[in-house]
Amino acid sequence: MTTPEHLLTDRAKCVDCSGVRRAFQLGATLDDPINLSIGQPDFEVPEPIRRAAIEAIEQGRNGYTLTGGADDLRAAVSAHLRKDPGWRIGEGDLELLITSGTSGGLFLAFLVLCEPGCEAIVPDPYFVIYPALGPMTGATIVTCDTYPDFRMTAERVEPLITERTRVVLVNSPANPTGVVLRDDELRDLAELCQSRGIMLISDEIYDLFTYSNGLGDAGTCPSPARWTENMLLLRGFGKTYGCTGWRMGYAAGPSWLISEMAKFQQYSFVCAPSMAQAGLVGAFDIDMSDVVNAFERRRDLVKETFAGIANVSDCAGAFYGFVEVPEHLGITGTEFCEHAIKHNVVVIPGDVFSDRDTHIRISFACPDEKLKVGLEILADMMLPAREPTLGS
Ligand code: PMP
């Protein structure tokens, strides 16, 4: 009898998540590791949101919602988008879709826009899902090398554009680098895409986590949506309100695109989880500034700890620092992470997010005390004096 594997599509075989699995396995052997690898917030979901979700379940909001999302949440998101970035959903040509996480929005967008023979430009380093969107939809993923400053600028994207390019995907604040692009950089990228008839997709899942040095002219997270409505804006609730498992996000953009994404949502995810939608109706009214300020202090700690020891990305947002393994150690990001495990600290090697293996990603979504100890251990490992002990 043949093994069932012969049934698998090339599409399935082409998606490789070994890097991510390897990163999780690295820490799995430790009892009480200092875990700086997790990309999810360490704060509680705000009480009013939890209460609203529980009440929704108890009051019977357990059935399907409309494909595009429940009316009350759609109204809340529309009101929010009117303030930031100033979009008027339902007026003119702009539409909105409540999605199953930001990943849901990404997947639907690629299903609608990409097919074999076309190309999509994504940053390198990238969020792990981005390269997989290629095999899943047939598109060729073209990576835009953003080293060493990790800025996906129009100058870097322009030479990669061909007549097959359909999509440019930008992520700011970025995972895994925390870099936040400036207003003018995003405007130039928007203008470039517009002039070439390419859809710009902006993954802004970390928009709330923009620290004082990353804020744009409007005093909020810079977005290309301030310059054009001819793009797809993807945002989420998971990171912002600490509810990544609720699988909640939204997509906004031109109605011709959103209606096609809604069609595929209807035949796949059907709708975002009903009780989570109900829970998040009042979310935009909750003041999250204490959380953001606490994360900014942690970001400062990351910068301070590695100052003079290693190059750290200009993390003005999200909750990651991308730290270069000092050249004098003569080892890769993966090798450094293996050594870190021996010191009870879990971080992710850069090659999980990149074609290169020169960095490590540190998540500071971790309680202050543990973070402090973990950072000191990592910085100590990077000092020249420690070099001889690394091989032990
Ligand atoms: N985009 C980026 C840049 C991310 O880091 C993540 C989550 N780590 C996602 C999208 C997916 O978010 P969600 O959990 O809402 O699907």
Side-chain angles (χ1 to χ4, degrees):
M1 206 175 83
T2 50
T3 60
E5 270 111 83
H6 77 281
L7 299 172
L8 289 175
T9 57
D10 287 341
R11 186 189 305 135
K13 286 183 228 158
C14 279
V15 176
D16 175 21
C17 37
S18 57
V20 184
R21 255 199 320 268
R22 182 166 43 86
F24 286 131
Q25 277 163 0
L26 276 176
T29 48
L30 302 176
D31 267 352
D32 184 23
I34 297 175
N35 196 341
L36 308 184
S37 74
I38 311 270
Q40 71 175 342
D42 60 318
F43 57 86
E44 253 317 330
V45 179
E47 205 268 343
I49 295 180
R50 298 203 304 270
R51 185 99 350 258
I54 292 164
E55 274 166 20
I57 292 174
E58 288 177 349
Q59 289 167 8
R61 283 183 70 167
N62 299 305
Y64 301 123
T65 69
L66 293 169
T67 303
D71 284 341
D72 49 3
L73 183 62
R74 288 178 60 85
V77 173
S78 300
H80 177 70
L81 289 175
R82 205 174 172 124
K83 283 190 229 145
D84 172 32
W87 279 11
R88 293 166 180 263
I89 301 296
E91 291 176 28
D93 196 35
L94 284 173
E95 252 308 334
L96 167 70
L97 178 70
I98 307 297
T99 56
S100 285
T102 308
S103 314
L106 272 169
F107 185 58
L108 293 172
F110 269 71
L111 272 184
V112 164
L113 293 169
C114 293
E115 61 196 344
C118 80
E119 294 172 359
I121 300 174
V122 309
D124 177 350
Y126 40 72
F127 166 48
V128 287
I129 283 181
Y130 295 174
L133 291 167
M136 288 199 286
T137 61
T140 300
I141 299 292
V142 176
T143 51
C144 174
D145 185 338
T146 64
Y147 287 80
D149 58 6
F150 310 117
R151 309 191 81 82
M152 185 158 148
T153 57
E155 293 74 48
R156 284 178 173 154
V157 170
E158 214 266 321
L160 304 173
I161 294 176
T162 71
E163 71 279 3
R164 293 179 296 282
T165 309
R166 297 256 180 103
V167 163
V168 170
L169 173 54
V170 65
N171 171 219
S172 168
N175 178 7
T177 64
V179 166
V180 181
L181 296 178
R182 294 187 311 269
D183 279 310
D184 61 303
E185 290 172 317
L186 290 164
R187 184 202 55 215
D188 291 353
L189 206 51
E191 281 173 1
L192 174 67
C193 291
Q194 184 102 350
S195 70
R196 301 296 186 90
I198 294 166
M199 182 51 61
L200 177 63
I201 302 180
S202 184
D203 177 348
E204 302 181 9
I205 188 167
Y206 297 102
D207 63 335
L208 179 80
F209 300 93
T210 308
Y211 309 124
S212 37
N213 63 326
L215 294 176
D217 299 340
T220 52
C221 177
S223 169
R226 227 159 263 126
W227 309 102
T228 179
E229 294 183 352
N230 191 18
M231 57 160 283
L232 184 68
L233 176 63
L234 298 178
R235 289 185 180 168
F237 295 94
K239 312 279 179 184
T240 314
Y241 301 107
C243 56
T244 49
W246 287 14
R247 312 306 310 130
M248 286 293 300
Y250 55 96
S255 57
W256 63 265
L257 175 55
I258 297 292
S259 63
E260 291 303 305
M261 289 170 63
K263 193 171 76 183
F264 278 8
Q265 171 140 294
Q266 192 175 344
Y267 290 139
S268 55
F269 300 98
V270 181
C271 62
S274 59
M275 79 297 287
Q277 290 194 53
L280 289 160
V281 170
F284 296 111
D285 299 327
I286 298 173
D287 180 5
M288 299 299 291
S289 54
D290 282 353
V291 167
V292 179
N293 292 337
F295 272 73
E296 181 160 358
R297 284 194 296 275
R298 291 179 185 173
R299 187 284 309 267
D300 293 342
L301 186 67
V302 173
K303 290 274 207 189
E304 283 156 25
T305 310
F306 291 101
I309 296 175
N311 295 326
V312 183
S313 56
D314 180 21
C315 37
F319 27 77
Y320 312 108
F322 207 49
V323 182
E324 188 173 9
V325 177
E327 230 185 310
H328 68 81
L329 294 181
I331 56 173
T332 61
T334 300
E335 286 163 342
F336 185 88
C337 291
E338 284 161 6
H339 290 307
I341 288 287
K342 293 183 195 149
H343 294 266
N344 205 36
V345 183
V346 189
V347 280
I348 305 196
D351 74 335
V352 169
F353 314 97
S354 175
D355 291 345
R356 303 195 199 180
D357 193 11
T358 49
H359 287 64
I360 58 168
R361 188 192 78 171
I362 295 177
S363 163
F364 45 90
C366 158
D368 289 2
E369 267 323 297
K370 277 211 157 186
L371 178 65
K372 202 166 183 324
V373 177
L375 292 176
E376 271 159 20
I377 292 171
L378 294 173
D380 203 38
M381 287 175 60
M382 290 182 176
L383 288 172
R386 296 294 303 224
E387 197 174 0
T389 63
L390 274 181
S392 63

